[in-house]
Amino acid sequence: MLYIVATPIGNLSDISLRALETLRAADVIACEDTRKSSILLQHYDIHKPLVSFHEHNERQAGERLIGLLRQGKTVALISDAGTPGIADPGFTLVRSAIAGGIDVTMIPGPTALIMALVLSGLPLHSFTFRGFPPRKPGPRRRFLEVDRDSPHTLIFYESPYRIVALVQDALAVYGDRPAALANDLTKKFEHVERGTLSHLLGYLATVRVQGEYVLVVAGAATRAASIDTDDHE
């Protein structure tokens, strides 16, 4: 059996009892970065063989894990933080296991995009998760333009090195829509900044930019509704 196990995105106390039971019972734990995962596993006194499984060795490591599963071993897959497969390695392993007739299940848990979406104050009923945008300006702009007219709330992940550029491009492509920027979620300095995209850009100029960010942007319909309301005041 292959278990996809969600792990904390910051606060180690957010792991579920079922996740701990699964990790303790697994024959092998596949993880994105063995050093980072060891912090979590040692915290809960879990000692299991670890297999490195990341974007640079996904095919080779995946074949090894499928081999172990065919031998009847129980494999638990975790990522550095959050839910494997969501902007992290995992999709190809799940697909290979399904194609090979191997049982797959999931231990649900934390994922930054849902927490950021709920805390944003923006519409929750329909949203599009776009993950990490391209690093270069041209491809990033084209990536954003795909959803310019989408009515759904948009969610992006970005590193501290490119978050300012992402917000600048989002402002240029979408206009000054309502948005929210979340970082250090579940950690001591958790913060969600809400406002328009131009407000977020100004906010970033006043703080030390660090940690992983989640940018949540209102959909086109939300912006249109806001403009219509303003026009009738």
Side-chain angles (χ1 to χ4, degrees):
M1 171 78 81
L2 172 62
Y3 290 89
I4 309 302
V5 183
T7 55
I9 59 175
N11 192 319
L12 296 184
S13 297
D14 287 337
I15 196 164
S16 72
L17 293 175
R18 188 173 171 221
L20 291 175
E21 292 170 356
T22 301
L23 293 174
R24 289 186 176 120
D27 295 308
V28 173
I29 297 176
C31 49
E32 191 175 358
D33 186 325
T34 56
R35 294 167 299 178
K36 291 183 179 180
S37 295
S38 291
I39 296 172
L40 172 70
L41 298 174
Q42 290 174 10
H43 182 79
Y44 287 103
D45 197 27
I46 297 173
H47 306 281
K48 294 288 180 176
L50 303 181
V51 173
S52 179
F53 180 80
H54 50 76
E55 62 178 336
H56 302 297
N57 75 343
E58 208 166 345
R59 180 176 179 180
Q60 181 180 4
E63 291 174 353
R64 179 184 175 189
L65 293 170
I66 291 296
L68 292 171
L69 288 162
R70 290 190 182 282
Q71 294 172 25
K73 302 291 185 181
T74 297
V75 174
L77 174 66
I78 61 177
S79 61
D80 287 348
T83 300
I86 304 297
D88 278 324
F91 163 68
T92 58
L93 183 60
V94 171
R95 184 171 60 181
S96 295
I98 293 172
I102 296 168
D103 290 334
V104 183
T105 192
M106 180 178 171
I107 314 302
T111 180
L113 74 96
I114 296 300
M115 185 172 179
L117 174 64
V118 172
L119 294 178
S120 72
L122 296 172
L124 306 174
H125 58 277
S126 182
F127 61 90
T128 301
F129 173 59
R130 297 289 276 134
F132 285 94
R135 298 187 177 194
K136 296 183 178 181
R140 183 170 54 237
R141 288 263 184 126
R142 292 191 290 273
F143 176 87
L144 296 175
E145 287 168 356
V146 169
D147 297 292
R148 183 184 326 203
D149 299 319
S150 171
H152 313 300
T153 299
L154 306 173
I155 308 171
F156 305 89
Y157 284 172
E158 191 51 282
S159 76
Y161 308 107
R162 290 178 294 278
I163 187 60
V164 172
L166 172 60
V167 177
Q168 288 174 333
D169 283 348
L171 177 59
V173 171
Y174 302 135
D176 205 10
R177 296 187 190 182
L181 192 63
N183 76 311
D184 283 334
L185 292 175
T186 77
K187 300 177 183 178
K188 181 178 180 180
F189 297 107
E190 171 184 309
H191 183 75
V192 181
E193 187 70 17
R194 305 171 184 89
T196 61
L197 285 167
S198 63
H199 169 80
L200 297 184
L201 204 53
Y203 162 75
L204 287 169
T206 67
V207 297
R208 181 182 179 188
V209 179
Q210 59 183 352
E212 296 296 321
Y213 286 83
V214 186
L215 175 64
V216 187
V217 182
T222 302
R223 178 173 178 270
S226 176
I227 293 172
D228 184 66
T229 300
D230 293 342
D231 289 342
H232 287 81
E233 288 182 350

